[in-house]
Amino acid sequence: MNTQFMQSTVGQEFAMRKDFLHISDLSPAETQDLLDLAISLKKEYVEGGNPPVLKGKVLGMIFQKPSLRTRVSFDMAMRHLGGDALYLSPAEIGLGKRESIADVARVLSGYVHGIMARVFDHEHILELANWASVPVINGLSDYNHPCQALADALTIQEKFGKAKGLNVTYIGDGNNVAVSLMHVCAKLGWNFTIANPVGYEITPHAVEIARQITQETGAEISFFNNPHDAVKGADVIYTDTWTSMGQEEETAKREADFASYQVNDQLVSEANRDAIVMHCLPAHRNHEITDEVADGPRSVLFPQAHNRLHAQKAILARAFGVA
Ligand code: CP
Ligand code: NVA
Protein backbone atom coordinates (compact mmCIF):
# COMPACT_ATOMS: atom_id res chain seq x y z
CA MET A 1 0.00 0.00 0.00
CA ASN A 2 1.21 3.47 -0.82
CA THR A 3 1.49 5.18 2.57
CA GLN A 4 1.74 8.75 1.35
CA PHE A 5 -1.51 9.79 3.03
CA MET A 6 -0.26 8.56 6.36
CA GLN A 7 2.25 11.37 6.48
CA SER A 8 -0.18 14.19 5.66
CA THR A 9 0.20 17.09 8.05
CA VAL A 10 -2.87 17.27 10.22
CA GLY A 11 -4.84 20.48 9.69
CA GLN A 12 -2.54 22.17 7.21
CA GLU A 13 -4.08 21.03 3.95
CA PHE A 14 -7.59 21.87 5.05
CA ALA A 15 -6.56 25.31 6.23
CA MET A 16 -4.79 26.14 2.97
CA ARG A 17 -6.99 24.45 0.38
CA LYS A 18 -10.32 23.94 2.15
CA ASP A 19 -10.37 20.28 1.13
CA PHE A 20 -12.41 17.93 3.31
CA LEU A 21 -10.59 14.60 3.23
CA HIS A 22 -10.34 13.30 6.80
CA ILE A 23 -11.98 14.21 10.11
CA SER A 24 -8.47 13.97 11.55
CA ASP A 25 -7.40 17.02 9.48
CA LEU A 26 -9.62 19.20 11.70
CA SER A 27 -8.78 20.33 15.21
CA PRO A 28 -11.35 19.55 17.93
CA ALA A 29 -12.45 23.21 17.84
CA GLU A 30 -12.75 23.18 14.02
CA THR A 31 -14.85 19.99 14.24
CA GLN A 32 -17.29 21.60 16.67
CA ASP A 33 -17.27 24.79 14.64
CA LEU A 34 -18.31 22.87 11.52
CA LEU A 35 -21.08 21.18 13.50
CA ASP A 36 -22.29 24.53 14.82
CA LEU A 37 -22.37 25.82 11.24
CA ALA A 38 -24.40 22.76 10.20
CA ILE A 39 -26.85 23.40 13.06
CA SER A 40 -27.30 27.04 12.07
CA LEU A 41 -27.70 26.19 8.35
CA LYS A 42 -30.28 23.55 9.27
CA LYS A 43 -32.23 26.03 11.41
CA GLU A 44 -32.09 28.63 8.65
CA TYR A 45 -33.33 26.08 6.10
CA VAL A 46 -36.17 24.83 8.30
CA GLU A 47 -37.26 28.39 9.07
CA GLY A 48 -37.67 29.39 5.43
CA GLY A 49 -34.58 28.61 3.39
CA ASN A 50 -30.87 29.32 3.01
CA PRO A 51 -29.65 32.42 1.16
CA PRO A 52 -28.00 31.70 -2.22
CA VAL A 53 -24.43 32.05 -0.99
CA LEU A 54 -23.18 29.57 -3.63
CA LYS A 55 -24.91 31.28 -6.58
CA GLY A 56 -22.90 30.59 -9.74
CA LYS A 57 -20.89 27.78 -8.11
CA VAL A 58 -20.95 24.22 -9.48
CA LEU A 59 -19.84 21.08 -7.66
CA GLY A 60 -18.54 18.24 -9.84
CA MET A 61 -19.49 14.91 -8.27
CA ILE A 62 -17.36 11.90 -9.28
CA PHE A 63 -18.74 8.49 -8.29
CA GLN A 64 -16.80 5.24 -8.70
CA LYS A 65 -19.45 3.47 -6.56
CA PRO A 66 -23.24 3.69 -6.19
CA SER A 67 -24.86 6.20 -3.82
CA LEU A 68 -28.26 7.46 -2.71
CA ARG A 69 -27.57 9.69 0.30
CA THR A 70 -24.25 11.20 -0.72
CA ARG A 71 -25.32 11.91 -4.26
CA VAL A 72 -28.73 13.39 -3.50
CA SER A 73 -27.79 15.29 -0.35
CA PHE A 74 -24.81 17.00 -2.00
CA ASP A 75 -26.91 17.85 -5.06
CA MET A 76 -29.74 19.26 -2.93
CA ALA A 77 -27.33 21.07 -0.60
CA MET A 78 -25.83 22.89 -3.60
CA ARG A 79 -29.31 23.80 -4.89
CA HIS A 80 -30.48 25.04 -1.49
CA LEU A 81 -27.41 27.29 -1.31
CA GLY A 82 -28.07 28.69 -4.80
CA GLY A 83 -25.49 26.60 -6.68
CA ASP A 84 -25.58 23.56 -8.92
CA ALA A 85 -24.11 20.06 -9.04
CA LEU A 86 -22.94 17.87 -11.88
CA TYR A 87 -23.10 14.06 -11.51
CA LEU A 88 -20.23 12.23 -13.21
CA SER A 89 -20.78 8.48 -13.36
CA PRO A 90 -18.03 5.82 -13.30
CA ALA A 91 -18.68 5.10 -16.97
CA GLU A 92 -18.28 8.76 -17.98
CA ILE A 93 -15.07 9.55 -16.12
CA GLY A 94 -13.17 6.27 -15.96
CA LEU A 95 -11.05 7.79 -13.18
CA GLY A 96 -7.51 6.47 -13.51
CA LYS A 97 -8.56 4.16 -16.36
CA ARG A 98 -9.75 6.23 -19.31
CA GLU A 99 -7.65 9.12 -18.07
CA SER A 100 -5.12 9.69 -15.29
CA ILE A 101 -6.37 11.13 -12.03
CA ALA A 102 -3.94 14.03 -12.34
CA ASP A 103 -5.37 14.95 -15.75
CA VAL A 104 -8.99 14.58 -14.60
CA ALA A 105 -8.26 16.87 -11.63
CA ARG A 106 -6.62 19.55 -13.74
CA VAL A 107 -9.27 19.49 -16.46
CA LEU A 108 -12.19 19.57 -14.03
CA SER A 109 -10.60 22.42 -12.07
CA GLY A 110 -11.17 24.64 -15.11
CA TYR A 111 -14.87 23.73 -15.36
CA VAL A 112 -16.24 23.43 -11.81
CA HIS A 113 -15.62 25.26 -8.54
CA GLY A 114 -15.31 22.18 -6.32
CA ILE A 115 -15.05 18.40 -6.62
CA MET A 116 -16.70 15.77 -4.48
CA ALA A 117 -15.51 12.22 -5.19
CA ARG A 118 -16.42 8.72 -4.03
CA VAL A 119 -13.56 6.36 -4.79
CA PHE A 120 -12.25 2.89 -4.01
CA ASP A 121 -8.57 3.49 -3.27
CA HIS A 122 -7.99 6.26 -0.71
CA GLU A 123 -4.85 7.27 -2.59
CA HIS A 124 -7.10 8.34 -5.45
CA ILE A 125 -8.92 11.01 -3.44
CA LEU A 126 -5.55 12.26 -2.22
CA GLU A 127 -4.22 12.36 -5.75
CA LEU A 128 -7.29 14.28 -6.91
CA ALA A 129 -6.78 16.78 -4.10
CA ASN A 130 -3.09 17.00 -4.91
CA TRP A 131 -3.72 17.99 -8.53
CA ALA A 132 -6.98 19.93 -8.33
CA SER A 133 -6.83 23.69 -7.89
CA VAL A 134 -10.40 23.67 -6.53
CA PRO A 135 -11.47 22.20 -3.15
CA VAL A 136 -11.90 18.42 -3.02
CA ILE A 137 -14.39 16.67 -0.71
CA ASN A 138 -14.11 12.99 0.15
CA GLY A 139 -17.52 11.37 -0.41
CA LEU A 140 -16.22 7.96 0.84
CA SER A 141 -13.15 5.91 0.12
CA ASP A 142 -12.23 2.39 1.16
CA TYR A 143 -10.42 3.99 4.12
CA ASN A 144 -12.89 6.53 5.51
CA HIS A 145 -16.19 8.43 5.22
CA PRO A 146 -15.77 11.85 6.85
CA CYS A 147 -19.00 13.43 5.52
CA GLN A 148 -20.95 10.59 7.15
CA ALA A 149 -19.16 11.11 10.46
CA LEU A 150 -20.01 14.79 10.53
CA ALA A 151 -23.71 14.04 10.01
CA ASP A 152 -23.48 11.32 12.66
CA ALA A 153 -21.98 13.73 15.19
CA LEU A 154 -24.70 16.26 14.36
CA THR A 155 -27.35 13.61 15.03
CA ILE A 156 -25.73 12.59 18.33
CA GLN A 157 -25.45 16.20 19.50
CA GLU A 158 -29.10 16.83 18.65
CA LYS A 159 -30.01 13.96 20.95
CA PHE A 160 -27.47 14.28 23.78
CA GLY A 161 -25.99 17.80 23.48
CA LYS A 162 -22.30 18.63 23.43
CA ALA A 163 -21.27 17.00 26.70
CA LYS A 164 -18.05 15.05 26.60
CA GLY A 165 -17.85 11.45 27.86
CA LEU A 166 -20.69 9.95 25.82
CA ASN A 167 -20.20 6.28 25.01
CA VAL A 168 -20.47 5.46 21.30
CA THR A 169 -20.32 1.73 20.50
CA TYR A 170 -19.84 0.44 16.98
CA ILE A 171 -20.74 -3.21 16.29
CA GLY A 172 -19.35 -4.85 13.16
CA ASP A 173 -16.71 -4.36 10.53
CA GLY A 174 -13.78 -2.01 11.23
CA ASN A 175 -14.44 -0.30 7.90
CA ASN A 176 -14.44 3.19 6.40
CA VAL A 177 -17.48 4.30 8.41
CA ALA A 178 -15.95 2.98 11.65
CA VAL A 179 -12.71 4.89 11.02
CA SER A 180 -14.36 8.27 10.59
CA LEU A 181 -16.80 7.66 13.45
CA MET A 182 -13.88 6.79 15.74
CA HIS A 183 -12.06 9.96 14.71
CA VAL A 184 -15.04 12.26 15.16
CA CYS A 185 -15.74 10.74 18.58
CA ALA A 186 -12.12 11.25 19.58
CA LYS A 187 -12.25 14.88 18.41
CA LEU A 188 -15.43 15.59 20.37
CA GLY A 189 -14.32 13.86 23.57
CA TRP A 190 -16.69 10.90 23.23
CA ASN A 191 -15.55 7.40 24.15
CA PHE A 192 -15.48 5.07 21.16
CA THR A 193 -15.85 1.30 21.55
CA ILE A 194 -15.87 -1.25 18.77
CA ALA A 195 -16.73 -4.95 18.78
CA ASN A 196 -15.61 -6.80 15.67
CA PRO A 197 -14.79 -10.42 14.79
CA VAL A 198 -11.10 -11.30 14.76
CA GLY A 199 -9.67 -10.29 11.40
CA TYR A 200 -12.02 -7.33 10.88
CA GLU A 201 -10.21 -4.77 13.01
CA ILE A 202 -9.89 -1.07 12.23
CA THR A 203 -6.57 -0.46 10.51
CA PRO A 204 -3.75 0.21 13.02
CA HIS A 205 -2.91 3.46 11.23
CA ALA A 206 -6.41 4.85 11.94
CA VAL A 207 -6.23 3.66 15.55
CA GLU A 208 -2.88 5.41 16.00
CA ILE A 209 -4.38 8.67 14.72
CA ALA A 210 -7.31 8.24 17.14
CA ARG A 211 -4.93 7.67 20.03
CA GLN A 212 -3.08 10.89 19.19
CA ILE A 213 -6.38 12.79 19.18
CA THR A 214 -7.48 11.33 22.52
CA GLN A 215 -4.31 12.63 24.17
CA GLU A 216 -5.72 16.08 23.46
CA THR A 217 -9.40 15.46 24.22
CA GLY A 218 -9.37 12.76 26.91
CA ALA A 219 -11.67 10.40 24.99
CA GLU A 220 -11.17 6.66 25.44
CA ILE A 221 -10.92 4.08 22.65
CA SER A 222 -11.77 0.44 23.50
CA PHE A 223 -11.72 -2.79 21.51
CA PHE A 224 -13.77 -5.93 22.00
CA ASN A 225 -14.61 -9.08 20.11
CA ASN A 226 -17.77 -9.77 22.12
CA PRO A 227 -20.61 -7.36 21.16
CA HIS A 228 -22.39 -7.96 24.48
CA ASP A 229 -19.36 -6.65 26.38
CA ALA A 230 -19.09 -3.66 24.05
CA VAL A 231 -22.68 -2.37 24.42
CA LYS A 232 -22.61 -2.17 28.23
CA GLY A 233 -23.04 1.52 29.12
CA ALA A 234 -23.49 2.56 25.48
CA ASP A 235 -25.39 5.77 24.71
CA VAL A 236 -25.14 5.12 20.98
CA ILE A 237 -25.12 1.77 19.19
CA TYR A 238 -23.91 2.08 15.61
CA THR A 239 -23.65 -0.54 12.90
CA ASP A 240 -22.94 -0.75 9.18
CA THR A 241 -23.04 -3.37 6.46
CA TRP A 242 -20.86 -6.44 6.91
CA THR A 243 -19.86 -6.28 3.24
CA SER A 244 -18.82 -2.92 1.90
CA MET A 245 -18.93 -1.88 -1.74
CA GLY A 246 -16.10 -3.63 -3.56
CA GLN A 247 -16.06 -6.65 -1.19
CA GLU A 248 -19.02 -8.47 -2.75
CA GLU A 249 -17.05 -11.65 -3.47
CA GLU A 250 -16.48 -12.03 0.30
CA THR A 251 -20.19 -11.85 1.13
CA ALA A 252 -20.72 -15.51 2.10
CA LYS A 253 -17.69 -15.61 4.39
CA ARG A 254 -18.60 -12.30 5.98
CA GLU A 255 -22.21 -13.36 6.61
CA ALA A 256 -20.83 -16.33 8.56
CA ASP A 257 -18.12 -14.39 10.40
CA PHE A 258 -20.50 -11.59 11.49
CA ALA A 259 -23.52 -13.77 12.31
CA SER A 260 -23.29 -13.08 16.05
CA TYR A 261 -22.80 -9.32 15.53
CA GLN A 262 -26.40 -8.48 14.62
CA VAL A 263 -27.89 -5.40 16.29
CA ASN A 264 -31.18 -6.84 17.52
CA ASP A 265 -33.59 -6.19 20.40
CA GLN A 266 -31.55 -8.37 22.76
CA LEU A 267 -28.31 -6.51 22.12
CA VAL A 268 -29.99 -3.09 22.33
CA SER A 269 -31.59 -4.05 25.67
CA GLU A 270 -28.07 -4.47 27.11
CA ALA A 271 -27.13 -0.82 26.41
CA ASN A 272 -28.21 2.27 28.38
CA ARG A 273 -31.97 2.75 28.69
CA ASP A 274 -32.03 5.86 26.48
CA ALA A 275 -29.46 4.61 23.96
CA ILE A 276 -30.05 5.45 20.32
CA VAL A 277 -29.34 3.18 17.36
CA MET A 278 -27.58 4.48 14.26
CA HIS A 279 -26.68 3.10 10.84
CA CYS A 280 -25.18 5.06 7.95
CA LEU A 281 -27.41 3.13 5.47
CA PRO A 282 -27.91 1.37 3.15
CA ALA A 283 -28.98 -1.29 5.68
CA HIS A 284 -29.14 -4.99 4.99
CA ARG A 285 -32.18 -5.62 7.10
CA ASN A 286 -32.19 -8.71 9.30
CA HIS A 287 -28.47 -9.11 8.68
CA GLU A 288 -26.49 -6.44 10.60
CA ILE A 289 -29.68 -4.86 11.99
CA THR A 290 -33.17 -6.29 12.49
CA ASP A 291 -36.35 -4.63 11.23
CA GLU A 292 -37.51 -4.34 14.85
CA VAL A 293 -34.50 -2.24 15.79
CA ALA A 294 -34.23 -0.27 12.53
CA ASP A 295 -37.90 0.72 12.78
CA GLY A 296 -38.09 0.74 16.58
CA PRO A 297 -38.22 3.56 19.14
CA ARG A 298 -34.44 3.78 19.60
CA SER A 299 -33.72 4.14 15.90
CA VAL A 300 -32.55 7.51 14.52
CA LEU A 301 -31.71 6.08 11.10
CA PHE A 302 -33.77 8.52 9.07
CA PRO A 303 -33.00 11.75 10.97
CA GLN A 304 -29.37 10.61 10.68
CA ALA A 305 -29.69 10.19 6.90
CA HIS A 306 -31.46 13.57 6.61
CA ASN A 307 -28.68 15.24 8.56
CA ARG A 308 -26.32 14.42 5.69
CA LEU A 309 -27.98 17.35 3.88
CA HIS A 310 -27.25 19.81 6.66
CA ALA A 311 -23.74 18.58 7.43
CA GLN A 312 -22.90 18.72 3.73
CA LYS A 313 -24.03 22.35 3.55
CA ALA A 314 -21.53 23.23 6.27
CA ILE A 315 -18.76 21.35 4.45
CA LEU A 316 -19.62 23.11 1.18
CA ALA A 317 -19.88 26.56 2.75
CA ARG A 318 -16.40 26.11 4.25
CA ALA A 319 -14.95 24.55 1.10
CA PHE A 320 -16.16 27.50 -0.99
CA GLY A 321 -15.06 30.00 1.63
CA VAL A 322 -18.48 31.57 2.25
CA ALA A 323 -18.76 30.74 5.97
N1 CP B 1 -24.41 6.52 3.90
C1 CP B 1 -24.07 6.74 2.60
O1 CP B 1 -23.00 7.28 2.28
O2 CP B 1 -25.03 6.36 1.73
P1 CP B 1 -24.86 6.29 0.14
O3 CP B 1 -23.88 5.19 -0.15
O4 CP B 1 -26.23 6.00 -0.37
O5 CP B 1 -24.32 7.62 -0.34
N1 NVA C 1 -19.14 0.65 4.54
C1 NVA C 1 -20.09 0.94 3.48
C2 NVA C 1 -20.63 2.32 3.65
C3 NVA C 1 -21.64 2.74 2.64
C4 NVA C 1 -22.13 4.12 2.81
C5 NVA C 1 -19.43 0.76 2.14
O1 NVA C 1 -18.29 1.20 1.95
O2 NVA C 1 -20.06 0.16 1.26
Side-chain angles (χ1 to χ4, degrees):
M1 181 173 66
N2 183 329
T3 56
Q4 184 191 336
F5 74 91
M6 296 180 182
Q7 280 107 42
S8 69
T9 309
V10 172
Q12 280 190 353
E13 281 188 5
F14 187 82
M16 289 188 295
R17 298 175 35 88
K18 302 188 187 303
D19 294 334
F20 185 73
L21 303 176
H22 317 97
I23 292 290
S24 53
D25 292 338
L26 304 171
S27 70
E30 284 171 332
T31 309
Q32 186 56 56
D33 198 41
L34 207 47
L35 286 166
D36 290 343
L37 179 59
I39 291 163
S40 76
L41 287 166
K42 180 174 180 176
K43 184 166 182 289
E44 190 177 63
Y45 174 68
V46 170
E47 289 176 354
N50 303 118
V53 291
L54 296 184
K55 190 167 167 27
K57 304 279 191 219
V58 177
L59 180 72
M61 305 193 299
I62 300 174
F63 282 91
Q64 287 188 323
K65 302 175 181 178
S67 171
L68 170 63
R69 280 144 291 273
T70 305
R71 175 180 173 174
V72 179
S73 59
F74 264 110
D75 193 331
M76 293 311 297
M78 285 301 294
R79 294 187 203 197
H80 290 173
L81 295 173
D84 214 339
L86 189 63
Y87 171 72
L88 301 161
S89 75
E92 283 160 329
I93 291 281
L95 193 67
K97 296 190 177 107
R98 180 172 184 266
E99 194 164 359
S100 78
I101 293 171
D103 287 358
V104 169
R106 287 176 289 182
V107 169
L108 269 184
S109 293
Y111 297 155
V112 297
H113 306 91
I115 298 169
M116 189 277 292
R118 166 167 288 194
V119 299
F120 286 97
D121 187 338
H122 191 68
E123 284 299 326
H124 292 174
I125 193 87
L126 298 178
E127 202 176 339
L128 263 179
N130 189 43
W131 287 98
S133 58
V134 297
V136 172
I137 298 168
N138 176 0
L140 178 144
S141 74
D142 286 350
Y143 171 66
N144 68 351
H145 197 359
C147 297
Q148 180 68 51
L150 199 70
D152 297 340
L154 174 60
T155 310
I156 294 170
Q157 288 199 340
E158 284 180 338
K159 168 72 182 172
F160 293 109
K162 296 180 184 175
K164 297 193 186 311
L166 275 178
N167 295 318
V168 177
T169 294
Y170 179 98
I171 305 291
D173 189 17
N175 62 14
N176 43 13
V177 168
V179 164
S180 292
L181 184 67
M182 174 175 67
H183 288 165
V184 87
C185 288
K187 290 282 179 190
L188 296 170
W190 297 337
N191 303 320
F192 176 83
T193 298
I194 180 168
N196 55 266
V198 172
Y200 295 97
E201 291 79 15
I202 294 180
T203 163
H205 163 65
V207 173
E208 177 52 31
I209 290 176
R211 291 211 187 283
Q212 287 171 15
I213 301 167
T214 61
Q215 285 173 11
E216 193 179 346
T217 65
E220 291 176 12
I221 312 281
S222 309
F223 303 91
F224 291 89
N225 292 127
N226 186 332
H228 301 279
D229 294 338
V231 297
K232 288 196 183 78
D235 300 301
V236 176
I237 301 175
Y238 198 118
T239 192
D240 182 21
T241 183
W242 296 333
T243 305
S244 286
M245 291 179 277
Q247 300 171 331
E248 288 78 8
E249 75 283 0
E250 299 173 21
T251 301
K253 176 168 169 41
R254 285 171 170 269
E255 287 288 321
D257 292 346
F258 284 95
S260 60
Y261 288 78
Q262 185 183 68
V263 174
N264 51 33
D265 277 337
Q266 174 58 43
L267 194 66
V268 172
S269 74
E270 297 166 26
N272 285 349
R273 285 168 64 91
D274 64 346
I276 57 171
V277 175
M278 303 181 73
H279 190 310
C280 61
L281 303 178
H284 302 78
R285 284 164 172 265
N286 303 312
H287 293 255
E288 75 270 8
I289 190 167
T290 60
D291 281 336
E292 288 72 20
V293 171
D295 300 325
R298 311 286 196 95
S299 168
V300 296
L301 268 52
F302 299 106
Q304 177 187 1
H306 297 160
N307 274 337
R308 292 292 305 275
L309 175 70
H310 310 294
Q312 247 96 268
K313 284 181 186 172
I315 294 165
L316 289 166
R318 279 287 146 79
F320 288 116
V322 298

